[in-house]
Amino acid sequence: MQTKIIKVGTGHTDLTEAADVIRGGGLVAFPTETVYGLGADACNPQAAKKIYTAKGRPSDNPLIVHIAQWNDLFAVAGEVPAEAKRLADAFWPGPLTMVMKKNERIPRETTGGLDTVAVRMPNHPAALALICQSGCPIAAPSANTSGRPSPTEAAHVAADLAGKIPVILDGGPVGIGIESTIIDLTEETPVILRPGYITKEMLSQTLLREVAIDSAVIAPESGKIPKAPGMKYRHYAPRAEMIVVSGEMQKVVAKINELTDKNHANGRKTGVIATDETKQFYRADQIESIGAREDEDAIARHLYRILRDFDTGDVQIIYSESFATPRIGQAIMNRLLKAAGNHEIFVS
Ligand code: TXA
Ligand code: MG
């Protein structure tokens, strides 16, 4: 299959061709503010199945359904909790996904067999225009091959899916760079199933009540099964082995250099995910700065591109500094540790 790449601007765009593909049951990759999505008509079970095939995604891992306006929610949800309205008023369109009961229009092929549906209104003009012009809610996971880092540029989508899907809408690099926060509204207490740009504090301030975090997400080594099925897979991973090194900065640099020397002695090439402040101190073979340590938005925005950059080099092991930044640090560390298969070393 030939993949057509169509550039989309930030202004009004005619997406007739892409919308025709969606309406015809086909797949379109499109930009959102978080990462690129791989979209299909959420109400069409055959179309949803194509997503799983193109990504190589396990069929028990449900898709997020994207809508363009508040009223669209009633076309996908069986019950709309009162708290959904408050959160939507505060954060939609934006990087927040809410899990609620699904209605009969959303097939189980879309929800990985669950009777709940995850819904999000993306904050990107091309995504919103595609949903409106297609005239249906759009199911879309991140537009990467299952297990690989999520795509933050159209070229990443093409690297994974060219030849497998008919259309990629190219809106340039995304703004946020990590996937949406997922909150489950089906239980007594709202629970964060995946941390993201919208934090626990922001959610509980809006709801004026306590918000929990799925314990399997906080303690990935505990053996508990995460409630978002996708969170149980090793994810976002580069091809090389990866280890996160945490602790006081100078000691982290010294430890990574010591490990680099040991690897070099064994003929193994190493890479480092560093910051602008530390990059000159390393002697690894490939050193990538993720940005300034204080700039947590930049760290989030660059993370997946850097993981992919290591895939084009020839390093066999990647060491990463830790980025437990104040606001979105939890989300960044969640993705980083997943990429490392939870392999973390503490230096003191
Ligand atoms: O920012 C995002 O959310 C991006 C863009 C494209 O919108 N999408 C995204 O989708 O990250 P995906 O498929 O890569 O991740 C969806 C996550 C998975 O971990 C999945 O298990 C979880 O959402 N999920 C979907 N529906 C669910 C449900 N009904 N209950 C619990 N978890 C659900
Ligand atoms: Mg994904």
Side-chain angles (χ1 to χ4, degrees):
M1 182 188 294
Q2 272 278 78
T3 301
K4 183 166 179 182
I5 299 180
I6 303 174
K7 289 236 186 258
V8 291
T10 45
H12 176 78
T13 333
D14 179 8
L15 298 176
T16 310
E17 193 177 346
D20 283 347
V21 170
I22 296 280
R23 270 197 302 272
L27 306 184
V28 173
F30 61 96
T32 81
E33 80 280 33
T34 57
V35 299
Y36 274 74
L38 178 60
D41 178 353
C43 301
N44 178 340
Q46 299 311 323
K49 277 190 187 162
K50 286 185 189 165
I51 291 180
Y52 289 90
T53 307
K55 278 182 63 91
R57 182 178 177 103
S59 62
D60 70 340
N61 191 1
L63 309 173
I64 293 177
V65 174
H66 297 69
I67 59 173
Q69 50 204 356
W70 168 253
N71 280 337
D72 293 349
L73 187 56
F74 299 92
V76 302
E79 274 166 43
V80 176
E83 300 195 313
K85 178 76 174 114
R86 297 176 78 145
L87 292 174
D89 285 344
F91 302 114
W92 276 4
L96 180 69
T97 296
M98 301 186 222
V99 175
M100 52 196 92
K101 287 259 173 289
K102 76 171 193 72
N103 74 12
E104 71 292 339
R105 286 191 62 207
I106 299 297
R108 281 177 200 278
E109 283 77 0
T110 296
T111 64
L114 300 175
D115 59 6
T116 54
V117 62
V119 193
R120 163 166 128 79
M121 191 191 294
N123 186 15
H124 193 292
L128 294 169
L130 180 65
I131 300 164
C132 288
Q133 291 180 35
S134 302
C136 60
I138 294 186
S142 48
N144 51 289
T145 297
S146 199
R148 298 219 55 218
S150 294
T152 54
E153 298 170 19
H156 301 163
V157 181
D160 285 11
L161 299 175
K164 296 184 175 169
I165 60 174
V167 178
I168 298 173
L169 300 180
D170 179 357
V174 300
I176 292 181
I178 53 173
E179 306 87 343
S180 61
T181 305
I182 303 178
I183 187 167
D184 181 2
L185 299 178
T186 63
E187 308 276 348
E188 196 59 37
T189 304
V191 186
I192 294 172
L193 305 185
R194 179 174 71 183
Y197 190 84
I198 307 287
T199 63
K200 180 174 185 264
E201 290 67 35
M202 291 158 82
L203 294 164
S204 57
Q205 268 166 25
T206 302
L207 294 176
L208 301 171
R209 62 181 286 197
E210 195 55 37
V211 170
I213 301 190
D214 186 356
S215 57
V217 170
I218 302 173
E221 300 284 57
S222 65
K224 289 202 178 122
I225 297 174
K227 202 172 168 201
M231 297 295 279
K232 69 176 182 270
Y233 298 105
R234 182 179 178 215
H235 227 177
Y236 321 115
R239 294 189 222 279
E241 181 187 349
M242 184 167 151
I243 298 174
V244 178
V245 185
S246 301
E248 196 198 302
M249 215 55 258
Q250 275 178 336
K251 290 180 177 159
V252 166
V253 172
K255 183 72 183 177
I256 291 177
N257 279 332
E258 177 198 319
L259 292 166
T260 295
D261 292 345
K262 278 193 187 148
N263 278 288
H264 283 169
N266 292 321
R268 279 158 58 95
K269 288 195 175 173
T270 62
V272 178
I273 302 181
T275 50
D276 289 351
E277 292 85 351
T278 56
K279 64 180 182 212
Q280 79 257 35
F281 300 120
Y282 290 108
R283 39 182 189 263
D285 304 277
Q286 186 178 348
I287 300 158
E288 302 284 350
S289 175
I290 200 164
R293 185 155 276 283
E294 294 303 306
D295 187 354
E296 47 181 337
D297 289 341
I299 293 174
R301 199 164 57 241
H302 297 151
L303 177 62
Y304 289 139
R305 177 184 49 75
I306 285 180
L307 293 177
R308 279 179 183 263
D309 282 349
F310 280 112
D311 284 347
T312 54
D314 60 355
V315 307
Q316 287 145 294
I317 182 152
I318 303 163
Y319 298 105
S320 177
E321 294 178 10
S322 233
F323 307 101
T325 60
R327 193 167 39 87
I328 41 177
Q330 185 175 41
I332 294 168
M333 285 308 286
N334 171 266
R335 308 306 194 275
L336 200 61
L337 285 167
K338 269 188 174 296
N342 286 319
H343 196 167
E344 184 175 18
I345 300 175
F346 295 91
V347 287
S348 58

PDB file of all heavy atoms in Angstrom, residues 55 57 141-142 144 150 179 194 235-236, ligand 2:
ATOM      1  N   LYS A  55      -0.590  -1.896  13.895  1.00  0.00           N
ATOM      2  CA  LYS A  55       0.354  -1.631  14.994  1.00  0.00           C
ATOM      3  C   LYS A  55       1.002  -2.896  15.542  1.00  0.00           C
ATOM      4  O   LYS A  55       1.984  -2.818  16.280  1.00  0.00           O
ATOM      5  CB  LYS A  55      -0.393  -0.968  16.167  1.00  0.00           C
ATOM      6  CG  LYS A  55      -0.592   0.526  16.030  1.00  0.00           C
ATOM      7  CD  LYS A  55      -1.287   1.067  17.260  1.00  0.00           C
ATOM      8  CE  LYS A  55      -0.527   0.934  18.559  1.00  0.00           C
ATOM      9  NZ  LYS A  55       0.321   2.048  18.938  1.00  0.00           N
ATOM     10  N   ARG A  57      -0.704  -4.656  17.677  1.00  0.00           N
ATOM     11  CA  ARG A  57      -1.111  -4.397  19.067  1.00  0.00           C
ATOM     12  C   ARG A  57      -1.909  -5.566  19.621  1.00  0.00           C
ATOM     13  O   ARG A  57      -2.788  -6.091  18.934  1.00  0.00           O
ATOM     14  CB  ARG A  57      -1.970  -3.131  19.079  1.00  0.00           C
ATOM     15  CG  ARG A  57      -2.479  -2.652  20.452  1.00  0.00           C
ATOM     16  CD  ARG A  57      -3.261  -1.370  20.226  1.00  0.00           C
ATOM     17  NE  ARG A  57      -3.897  -0.781  21.372  1.00  0.00           N
ATOM     18  CZ  ARG A  57      -3.446   0.293  22.035  1.00  0.00           C
ATOM     19  NH1 ARG A  57      -2.294   0.825  21.692  1.00  0.00           N
ATOM     20  NH2 ARG A  57      -4.129   0.811  23.022  1.00  0.00           N
ATOM     21  N   PRO A 141      -5.076   4.951  18.975  1.00  0.00           N
ATOM     22  CA  PRO A 141      -3.926   4.777  19.861  1.00  0.00           C
ATOM     23  C   PRO A 141      -2.785   5.613  19.302  1.00  0.00           C
ATOM     24  O   PRO A 141      -2.931   6.228  18.245  1.00  0.00           O
ATOM     25  CB  PRO A 141      -3.613   3.291  19.718  1.00  0.00           C
ATOM     26  CG  PRO A 141      -3.976   2.989  18.299  1.00  0.00           C
ATOM     27  CD  PRO A 141      -5.135   3.897  17.948  1.00  0.00           C
ATOM     28  N   SER A 142      -1.656   5.648  19.986  1.00  0.00           N
ATOM     29  CA  SER A 142      -0.491   6.313  19.423  1.00  0.00           C
ATOM     30  C   SER A 142      -0.096   5.594  18.128  1.00  0.00           C
ATOM     31  O   SER A 142      -0.251   4.376  18.012  1.00  0.00           O
ATOM     32  CB  SER A 142       0.653   6.286  20.435  1.00  0.00           C
ATOM     33  OG  SER A 142       0.820   4.986  20.962  1.00  0.00           O
ATOM     34  N   ASN A 144       2.417   4.392  16.567  1.00  0.00           N
ATOM     35  CA  ASN A 144       3.697   3.675  16.484  1.00  0.00           C
ATOM     36  C   ASN A 144       3.421   2.179  16.367  1.00  0.00           C
ATOM     37  O   ASN A 144       2.333   1.719  16.695  1.00  0.00           O
ATOM     38  CB  ASN A 144       4.514   3.931  17.763  1.00  0.00           C
ATOM     39  CG  ASN A 144       3.689   3.657  19.017  1.00  0.00           C
ATOM     40  OD1 ASN A 144       2.772   4.428  19.323  1.00  0.00           O
ATOM     41  ND2 ASN A 144       3.976   2.576  19.711  1.00  0.00           N
ATOM     42  N   SER A 150       6.373   6.314  21.228  1.00  0.00           N
ATOM     43  CA  SER A 150       5.270   7.005  20.544  1.00  0.00           C
ATOM     44  C   SER A 150       5.822   8.058  19.598  1.00  0.00           C
ATOM     45  O   SER A 150       6.861   8.657  19.860  1.00  0.00           O
ATOM     46  CB  SER A 150       4.352   7.672  21.572  1.00  0.00           C
ATOM     47  OG  SER A 150       3.717   6.703  22.348  1.00  0.00           O
ATOM     48  N   GLU A 179       1.952  11.050  26.173  1.00  0.00           N
ATOM     49  CA  GLU A 179       0.528  10.775  26.016  1.00  0.00           C
ATOM     50  C   GLU A 179      -0.300  11.383  27.149  1.00  0.00           C
ATOM     51  O   GLU A 179       0.202  11.650  28.234  1.00  0.00           O
ATOM     52  CB  GLU A 179       0.271   9.264  25.963  1.00  0.00           C
ATOM     53  CG  GLU A 179       1.068   8.519  24.909  1.00  0.00           C
ATOM     54  CD  GLU A 179       2.430   8.088  25.403  1.00  0.00           C
ATOM     55  OE1 GLU A 179       2.916   8.607  26.426  1.00  0.00           O
ATOM     56  OE2 GLU A 179       3.023   7.215  24.732  1.00  0.00           O
ATOM     57  N   ARG A 194      -2.918   6.491  34.058  1.00  0.00           N
ATOM     58  CA  ARG A 194      -1.640   6.808  33.383  1.00  0.00           C
ATOM     59  C   ARG A 194      -1.333   8.272  33.667  1.00  0.00           C
ATOM     60  O   ARG A 194      -2.144   9.138  33.349  1.00  0.00           O
ATOM     61  CB  ARG A 194      -1.769   6.576  31.871  1.00  0.00           C
ATOM     62  CG  ARG A 194      -0.492   6.903  31.085  1.00  0.00           C
ATOM     63  CD  ARG A 194      -0.595   6.538  29.608  1.00  0.00           C
ATOM     64  NE  ARG A 194      -1.500   7.408  28.877  1.00  0.00           N
ATOM     65  CZ  ARG A 194      -1.807   7.271  27.586  1.00  0.00           C
ATOM     66  NH1 ARG A 194      -1.291   6.279  26.891  1.00  0.00           N
ATOM     67  NH2 ARG A 194      -2.636   8.109  27.009  1.00  0.00           N
ATOM     68  N   HIS A 235       7.136  -0.853  26.994  1.00  0.00           N
ATOM     69  CA  HIS A 235       6.577   0.110  26.097  1.00  0.00           C
ATOM     70  C   HIS A 235       7.623   1.121  25.733  1.00  0.00           C
ATOM     71  O   HIS A 235       8.640   1.194  26.403  1.00  0.00           O
ATOM     72  CB  HIS A 235       5.511   0.838  26.907  1.00  0.00           C
ATOM     73  CG  HIS A 235       4.219   0.977  26.200  1.00  0.00           C
ATOM     74  ND1 HIS A 235       3.136   1.533  26.783  1.00  0.00           N
ATOM     75  CD2 HIS A 235       3.825   0.642  24.968  1.00  0.00           C
ATOM     76  CE1 HIS A 235       2.132   1.523  25.958  1.00  0.00           C
ATOM     77  NE2 HIS A 235       2.509   0.996  24.837  1.00  0.00           N
ATOM     78  N   TYR A 236       7.388   1.923  24.764  1.00  0.00           N
ATOM     79  CA  TYR A 236       8.191   3.122  24.520  1.00  0.00           C
ATOM     80  C   TYR A 236       9.668   2.783  24.394  1.00  0.00           C
ATOM     81  O   TYR A 236      10.530   3.607  24.632  1.00  0.00           O
ATOM     82  CB  TYR A 236       8.033   4.145  25.680  1.00  0.00           C
ATOM     83  CG  TYR A 236       6.645   4.267  26.248  1.00  0.00           C
ATOM     84  CD1 TYR A 236       6.355   3.910  27.555  1.00  0.00           C
ATOM     85  CD2 TYR A 236       5.615   4.750  25.461  1.00  0.00           C
ATOM     86  CE1 TYR A 236       5.079   4.034  28.069  1.00  0.00           C
ATOM     87  CE2 TYR A 236       4.326   4.871  25.955  1.00  0.00           C
ATOM     88  CZ  TYR A 236       4.069   4.507  27.267  1.00  0.00           C
ATOM     89  OH  TYR A 236       2.806   4.623  27.767  1.00  0.00           O
TER      90      TYR A 236
HETATM   91 MG    MG B   2       0.661   3.979  22.842  1.00  0.00          MG
END
